[in-house]
Amino acid sequence: MRIGRIESAWGAEALRPAVGWKVWRVDEEARLLSVLYGDLWPVDEPVRATCRRVVHSSHEAPARGCECGIHAGRELGAWDHYLAIDAESRVFGRVLLWGSTLEGAHGWRAAEARPVEIYVPSAVTNQEEVAEGLRAYGVPVHVLVPLREEVLVP
Ligand SMILES: [Zn+2]
């Protein structure tokens, strides 16, 4: 299993990881950035959550009663609005989440995450180049083609 291999590679298998959906922004170098804060997702190591409420707290992320942690959704539909805005630079995919993980009704907030699979919609500028660059993450990158209906309906 592909996800099993990624779990082993990052030592996450003992931590009962979850797999959720996520939307990212891509920069000019085809690297993944978080949509809300623009945090870079490194190509060669997991991204680790930190809390931004540095003034009032210094807890480990994620924490209950806070919004920190790496957010991922149970369903891709939860992120529809993020994909619709600035669609020319938005990609989505599945992420493996582990470490301290809080489960909510619609998804998770986790301490650490790695992409498992990335999808590049046809609305993305320089779609093929972006997809090629994203292969640096070492996970499958899928180039989406517009559905026939979308081509026909203006
Ligand atoms: Zn926090």
Side-chain angles (χ1 to χ4, degrees):
M1 270 299 289
R2 187 184 292 146
I3 291 174
R5 279 213 315 272
I6 294 169
E7 285 177 22
S8 309
W10 296 103
E13 67 220 303
L15 301 171
R16 298 194 299 128
V19 177
W21 289 97
K22 179 108 197 132
V23 171
W24 296 275
R25 189 155 58 81
V26 286
D27 68 8
E28 315 74 43
E29 294 164 49
R31 294 174 309 181
L32 299 172
L33 307 177
S34 73
V35 171
L36 285 182
Y37 296 111
D39 294 324
L40 175 69
W41 282 52
V43 293
D44 52 357
E45 60 175 331
V47 64
R48 295 182 177 88
T50 54
C51 184
R52 281 164 196 281
R53 280 197 193 166
V54 285
V55 178
H56 299 296
S57 74
S58 57
H59 54 244
E60 298 276 306
R64 293 192 189 281
C66 195
E67 285 299 307
C68 54
I70 297 144
H71 293 236
R74 227 177 271 286
E75 309 281 342
L76 180 61
W79 300 111
D80 272 355
H81 55 294
Y82 282 129
L83 276 175
I85 303 163
D86 299 330
E88 67 281 356
S89 61
R90 296 284 163 92
V91 301
F92 64 91
R94 293 189 304 148
V95 293
L96 191 65
L97 305 155
W98 72 91
S100 171
T101 304
L102 296 177
E103 187 165 6
H106 303 292
W108 300 267
R109 289 191 284 130
E112 301 191 53
R114 276 293 291 172
V116 166
E117 193 167 29
I118 304 169
Y119 293 85
V120 184
S122 56
V124 171
T125 307
N126 301 322
Q127 183 190 25
E128 290 286 350
E129 289 84 347
V130 167
E132 197 51 47
L134 289 172
R135 296 205 165 89
Y137 285 89
V139 299
V141 178
H142 307 282
V143 176
L144 297 178
V145 293
L147 296 173
R148 186 178 295 271
E149 308 87 270
E150 291 174 349
V151 175
L152 294 177
V153 177

